[in-house]
Amino acid sequence: MHSPSSSRTAAATGETAACGMPPAPQLIGNSAAMQALRAQVNRIARCGAPVAIRGESGSGKELAARAIHTQGPRARFPFIAVNCGAIPDALMEAEFFGCRQGAYTGALHEREGLFQAAHGGSLLLDEVDDLPLAMQVKLLRALQERRVRKLGGSRDEAVDVRILCASQHGLARGVAARTFRQDLYYRLNVIELAVPPLRERLGDLQVLCEAILARLAPRQGVRLAPPVLDALRQYAFPGNVRELENLLERALAFADGGVITPDDLGLPCVASVTPLRAAPVVPERQLSLPGMPPRSMAPVLPLARYLCQVEREMIMQALVRERYHRIRAARQLGISVRQLRYRMQKLAIQEPRFDDDMEDR
């Protein structure tokens, strides 16, 4: 067993104490959907109940969680965000609850876990439905008893943490698929908060672009050419606001004269991937030989599109075979969960939604 990094870089994607930190994060947008979301966050922040945040990848789930924390009574205590899908199974207990010196090979020092580090504040469990069932049992016990025991320890420690969790499709889907414990679902899903995808609030594009550019290039005075917003409104944004940030950061590198044009965006062509038909096989005798004029033949499928199609089909097969359990699908494909998520966003692969009656079971 390998020793976990003392900084938990593989696990904690964001770890901040509220004392002396910048102003509270803002959920940007003037659309009706964002106004409703901010109103819900404001109400939720006042209580201490667990919150289950649902939203597509890149839509701003962690930003909503940070807003709940900073607007609530725990704001002066730590906010810790952990990507549950990024922690190796063998290190999960030590990462969450800490470990004693010598608890396993490589544990050279006693160290705190995420629960102890977030004591008094909030702990965001991002992609919580990626947790294996064995770890779900231990997490449930910690939440019920508000106490944790370090790996290799002999006594429990009291912890006071507000639990926020995030998932792409809601935890009810995992319960229906029997990959998420029902008792843990009821413990975490006390309040559910839905973050709208960017395609459902395209009216916020201008204010979002202005805020992103002000952060990426505060002194350059970069502006958008008039056709840019029209081009962005035609795009489906499978990667949501995170993808918009990436597009604008790329555009900054290619823009001339401080003006971003549609060509600078480099919008991908996979916003709506449709099945492609492979070109028919052409008998060898019909192929043109060097020096001979080409014969009439069906157009060859472009290599880039063909490779995208093959990659998409392989990922879809793995996901269906593993009932859309991303950890097992990634293991079958020989890639990391993070790589799988990136490829799913790039190829616009959406996991199927369960019917409402199934989710309510």
Side-chain angles (χ1 to χ4, degrees), residues 60-280:
K61 298 187 293 296
E62 182 173 339
L63 189 61
R66 287 181 181 272
I68 291 172
H69 172 77
T70 54
Q71 294 178 31
R74 296 176 180 265
R76 63 190 182 92
F77 294 102
F79 173 88
I80 306 266
V82 54
N83 188 325
C84 296
I87 310 175
D89 292 0
L91 301 180
M92 276 193 173
E93 189 171 355
E95 288 290 336
F96 276 93
F97 309 133
C99 68
R100 301 279 293 181
Q101 182 179 1
Y104 55 85
T105 302
L108 303 179
H109 307 283
E110 181 172 349
R111 59 186 289 268
E112 291 185 337
L114 294 164
F115 271 84
Q116 293 96 330
H119 183 69
S122 305
L123 176 60
L124 171 63
L125 305 176
D126 195 12
E127 302 297 342
V128 66
D129 43 351
D130 282 345
L131 285 175
L133 289 170
M135 189 61 204
Q136 292 179 30
V137 176
K138 297 172 183 177
L139 177 61
L140 177 63
R141 177 180 176 275
L143 297 180
Q144 288 175 336
E145 301 182 6
R146 295 180 177 274
R147 304 181 71 86
V148 298
R149 178 178 296 184
K150 290 181 179 179
L151 187 64
S154 57
R155 63 181 182 85
D156 293 342
E157 303 175 40
V159 289
D160 175 24
V161 174
R162 183 179 190 181
I163 296 296
L164 311 172
C165 65
S167 63
Q168 291 195 37
H169 298 284
L171 301 181
R173 180 188 176 280
V175 174
R178 300 184 182 275
T179 59
F180 198 82
R181 291 180 62 93
Q182 190 174 44
D183 45 8
L184 182 58
Y185 165 78
Y186 289 125
R187 178 66 61 173
L188 295 175
N189 203 70
V190 177
I191 300 175
E192 186 174 54
L193 180 68
V195 179
L198 181 54
R199 64 179 175 276
E200 293 181 5
R201 55 185 190 101
L202 293 178
D204 293 332
L205 274 173
Q206 182 170 352
V207 65
L208 281 170
C209 289
E210 291 172 354
I212 292 170
L213 290 174
R215 178 171 52 82
L216 294 177
R219 299 180 181 178
Q220 295 182 23
V222 180
R223 62 184 179 86
L224 302 177
V228 169
L229 285 175
D230 292 333
L232 290 174
R233 291 189 184 101
Q234 301 301 316
Y235 185 55
F237 285 103
N240 292 288
V241 180
R242 183 184 297 127
E243 184 177 13
L244 176 61
E245 291 181 358
N246 293 340
L247 288 173
L248 292 177
E249 189 169 10
R250 176 192 186 279
L252 281 172
F254 288 93
D256 290 327
V259 179
I260 294 177
T261 66
D263 290 339
D264 298 326
L265 295 172
L267 286 171
C269 59
V270 295
S272 55
V273 178
T274 54
L276 302 173
R277 292 183 300 171

